[in-house]
């Protein structure tokens, strides 16, 4: 099995979890709502959590509004060159984050978003 075959969204143990960095632009898989990650919120009740078993991502969707979404329901937005889109980050850091996240998530989790 190739390494790339192993990262097709199989559940990961919390010790292997790679957190999507704050500022990363994301889209909800089901309703298409877009925003950027601005932290984690610990969830006491509810069915859907990140691989750490305790949290959901807090997504800033604009105008001071935030929603909580588990990792499995997020798509990661990229530019036309395949770099992860981020709020206020330079190309070198975006390149590093892109490489890290592509090592964890399958290509179906990345969506090209025009500027």
């Amino acid at each position: 099995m190739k390494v790339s075959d192993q990262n097709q969204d199989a559940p990961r143990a919390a010790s292997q979890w790679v957190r999507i960095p704050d500022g990363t632009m994301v889209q909800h898989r089901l309703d298409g709502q877009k925003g950027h990650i601005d932290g984690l919120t610990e969830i006491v009740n509810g069915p859907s959590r990140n691989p750490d078993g305790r949290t959901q991502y807090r997504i800033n969707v604009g105008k001071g509004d935030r929603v909580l979404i588990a990792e499995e329901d997020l798509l990661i937005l990229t530019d036309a060159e395949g770099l992860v889109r981020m709020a206020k980050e330079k190309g070198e850091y975006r390149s590093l984050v892109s490489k890290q996240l592509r090592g964890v998530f399958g290509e179906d989790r990345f969506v090209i978003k025009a500027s």
Side-chain angles (χ1 to χ4, degrees), residues 2-13:
K2 298 185 303 188
V3 173
S4 62
D5 293 338
Q6 295 174 4
N7 66 7
Q8 299 300 314
D9 296 328
R12 295 180 305 282

Side-chain angles (χ1 to χ4, degrees), residues 41-103:
T41 297
E42 192 160 333
I43 302 298
V44 176
N45 293 321
S48 191
R49 295 188 179 111
N50 291 329
D52 66 357
R54 302 179 353 233
T55 63
Q56 286 184 341
Y57 285 102
R58 189 173 55 247
I59 312 300
N60 180 334
V61 293
K63 299 179 186 164
D65 293 332
R66 287 170 176 67
V67 295
L68 298 176
I69 304 174
E71 179 180 282
E72 66 189 31
D73 293 327
L74 291 175
L75 298 172
I76 300 165
L77 301 179
T78 69
D79 62 17
E81 289 80 42
L83 289 180
V84 170
R85 293 182 51 93
M86 299 187 80
K88 303 177 185 173
E89 295 296 344
K90 302 284 185 218
E92 188 174 306
Y93 181 68
R94 290 176 50 221
S95 180
L96 177 69
V97 169
S98 298
K99 183 176 181 180
Q100 178 187 35
L101 294 179
R102 288 186 184 281

Side-chain angles (χ1 to χ4, degrees), residues 26-41:
V26 293
Q27 176 179 323
H28 191 277
R29 276 187 175 195
L30 302 176
D31 69 16
Q33 193 168 30
K34 295 176 184 156
H36 69 271
I37 294 173
D38 79 351
L40 294 174
T41 297

